[in-house]
């Protein structure tokens, strides 16, 4: 069973930065498309970024130019570098393996952007 462990969340002021990490195990990480979702209170979970096995990246419009997804196949880890954070980025962030059924989820990491 795939295991995903997110870390790196916290409380940050608007305009600040955070780097989220997701350590994956029990899968052939290098061939997987990895993604970051987020879920704000009262809203549906949304896919905000994903990265293919070859390193191609895709972002939702609301985070383009501010967030960067990357991966380290040697460490079985995917990252989400978040800069210029806004209050509307407040959410629980989850990583996942796309195109895998059942889709695995980690426990999530809380990001709160507030002054």
């Amino acid at each position: 069973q795939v295991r995903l462990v997110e870390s790196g969340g916290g409380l940050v002021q608007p305009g600040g930065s955070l780097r989220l990490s997701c350590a994956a195990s029990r899968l052939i990480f290098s061939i997987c498309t990895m993604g970051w979702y987020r879920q704000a209170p009262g809203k549906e979970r949304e896919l905000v970024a994903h990265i293919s096995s070859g390193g191609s990246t895709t972002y939702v419009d609301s985070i383009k130019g501010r967030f960067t997804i990357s991966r380290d196949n040697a460490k079985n880890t995917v990252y989400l570098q978040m800069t210029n954070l806004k209050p509307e980025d407040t959410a629980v962030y989850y990583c996942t393996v796309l195109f895998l059924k059942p889709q695995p989820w980690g426990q999530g990491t809380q990001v709160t952007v507030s002054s």
Side-chain angles (χ1 to χ4, degrees), residues 23-24 28-31 71-79:
I28 305 175
F29 181 82
S30 62
I31 66 171
R71 63 191 299 157
D72 184 336
N73 289 341
K75 295 182 178 180
N76 282 13
T77 300
V78 61
Y79 304 98

Short mmCIF file of all heavy atoms in Angstrom, two decimals, residues 23-24 28-31 71-79:
data_model
loop_
_atom_site.label_atom_id
_atom_site.label_comp_id
_atom_site.label_asym_id
_atom_site.label_seq_id
_atom_site.Cartn_x
_atom_site.Cartn_y
_atom_site.Cartn_z
N ALA A 23 7.02 12.72 1.25
CA ALA A 23 7.85 11.52 1.11
C ALA A 23 6.94 10.34 0.76
O ALA A 23 5.97 10.07 1.47
CB ALA A 23 8.59 11.26 2.40
N ALA A 24 7.28 9.67 -0.32
CA ALA A 24 6.47 8.54 -0.78
C ALA A 24 7.23 7.24 -0.60
O ALA A 24 8.46 7.19 -0.71
CB ALA A 24 6.13 8.73 -2.25
N ILE A 28 6.96 2.63 -7.16
CA ILE A 28 8.09 2.98 -8.03
C ILE A 28 7.94 4.46 -8.34
O ILE A 28 7.33 4.86 -9.35
CB ILE A 28 8.10 2.11 -9.29
CG1 ILE A 28 8.10 0.62 -8.91
CG2 ILE A 28 9.34 2.42 -10.13
CD1 ILE A 28 7.99 -0.33 -10.09
N PHE A 29 8.49 5.27 -7.47
CA PHE A 29 8.25 6.71 -7.48
C PHE A 29 8.60 7.34 -8.82
O PHE A 29 7.88 8.20 -9.32
CB PHE A 29 9.04 7.36 -6.35
CG PHE A 29 8.86 8.84 -6.23
CD1 PHE A 29 7.76 9.37 -5.57
CD2 PHE A 29 9.79 9.72 -6.79
CE1 PHE A 29 7.59 10.74 -5.45
CE2 PHE A 29 9.63 11.09 -6.68
CZ PHE A 29 8.52 11.61 -6.01
N SER A 30 9.70 6.92 -9.40
CA SER A 30 10.24 7.61 -10.58
C SER A 30 9.31 7.56 -11.78
O SER A 30 9.42 8.40 -12.68
CB SER A 30 11.60 7.03 -10.96
OG SER A 30 11.47 5.67 -11.29
N ILE A 31 8.38 6.61 -11.83
CA ILE A 31 7.50 6.50 -12.99
C ILE A 31 6.13 7.12 -12.73
O ILE A 31 5.26 7.09 -13.60
CB ILE A 31 7.32 5.03 -13.45
CG1 ILE A 31 6.58 4.21 -12.39
CG2 ILE A 31 8.66 4.41 -13.78
CD1 ILE A 31 6.19 2.82 -12.88
N ARG A 71 10.56 17.48 -7.96
CA ARG A 71 10.67 16.13 -7.41
C ARG A 71 12.13 15.73 -7.33
O ARG A 71 12.97 16.19 -8.11
CB ARG A 71 9.89 15.14 -8.28
CG ARG A 71 10.40 15.00 -9.69
CD ARG A 71 9.41 14.20 -10.57
NE ARG A 71 9.21 12.85 -10.06
CZ ARG A 71 8.15 12.11 -10.33
NH1 ARG A 71 7.18 12.59 -11.08
NH2 ARG A 71 8.05 10.88 -9.84
N ASP A 72 12.42 14.85 -6.39
CA ASP A 72 13.75 14.27 -6.24
C ASP A 72 13.53 12.76 -6.24
O ASP A 72 13.12 12.18 -5.22
CB ASP A 72 14.39 14.74 -4.96
CG ASP A 72 15.82 14.24 -4.80
OD1 ASP A 72 16.17 13.20 -5.42
OD2 ASP A 72 16.59 14.87 -4.06
N ASN A 73 13.78 12.12 -7.36
CA ASN A 73 13.52 10.69 -7.47
C ASN A 73 14.44 9.87 -6.58
O ASN A 73 14.07 8.76 -6.15
CB ASN A 73 13.65 10.24 -8.92
CG ASN A 73 12.51 10.74 -9.79
OD1 ASN A 73 11.45 11.13 -9.30
ND2 ASN A 73 12.74 10.77 -11.10
N ALA A 74 15.62 10.38 -6.29
CA ALA A 74 16.55 9.65 -5.42
C ALA A 74 16.02 9.58 -3.99
O ALA A 74 16.35 8.66 -3.25
CB ALA A 74 17.92 10.31 -5.43
N LYS A 75 15.21 10.58 -3.63
CA LYS A 75 14.66 10.63 -2.28
C LYS A 75 13.18 10.25 -2.23
O LYS A 75 12.56 10.33 -1.16
CB LYS A 75 14.84 12.04 -1.70
CG LYS A 75 16.28 12.43 -1.50
CD LYS A 75 16.40 13.82 -0.87
CE LYS A 75 17.85 14.20 -0.64
NZ LYS A 75 17.98 15.54 -0.04
N ASN A 76 12.61 9.88 -3.38
CA ASN A 76 11.18 9.57 -3.43
C ASN A 76 10.34 10.68 -2.81
O ASN A 76 9.39 10.43 -2.05
CB ASN A 76 10.89 8.24 -2.71
CG ASN A 76 11.24 7.02 -3.54
OD1 ASN A 76 11.92 7.13 -4.56
ND2 ASN A 76 10.80 5.87 -3.11
N THR A 77 10.68 11.91 -3.16
CA THR A 77 10.04 13.06 -2.54
C THR A 77 9.60 14.07 -3.59
O THR A 77 10.34 14.33 -4.55
CB THR A 77 10.98 13.73 -1.53
OG1 THR A 77 11.33 12.78 -0.51
CG2 THR A 77 10.33 14.93 -0.86
N VAL A 78 8.41 14.62 -3.38
CA VAL A 78 7.92 15.71 -4.22
C VAL A 78 7.77 16.95 -3.33
O VAL A 78 7.42 16.82 -2.15
CB VAL A 78 6.60 15.33 -4.92
CG1 VAL A 78 5.49 15.02 -3.92
CG2 VAL A 78 6.16 16.41 -5.90
N TYR A 79 8.06 18.11 -3.90
CA TYR A 79 8.05 19.35 -3.16
C TYR A 79 7.05 20.34 -3.78
O TYR A 79 6.73 20.26 -4.96
CB TYR A 79 9.43 19.99 -3.17
CG TYR A 79 10.52 19.11 -2.65
CD1 TYR A 79 11.33 18.38 -3.52
CD2 TYR A 79 10.77 19.01 -1.28
CE1 TYR A 79 12.35 17.57 -3.04
CE2 TYR A 79 11.79 18.20 -0.80
CZ TYR A 79 12.56 17.48 -1.68
OH TYR A 79 13.57 16.67 -1.20
#
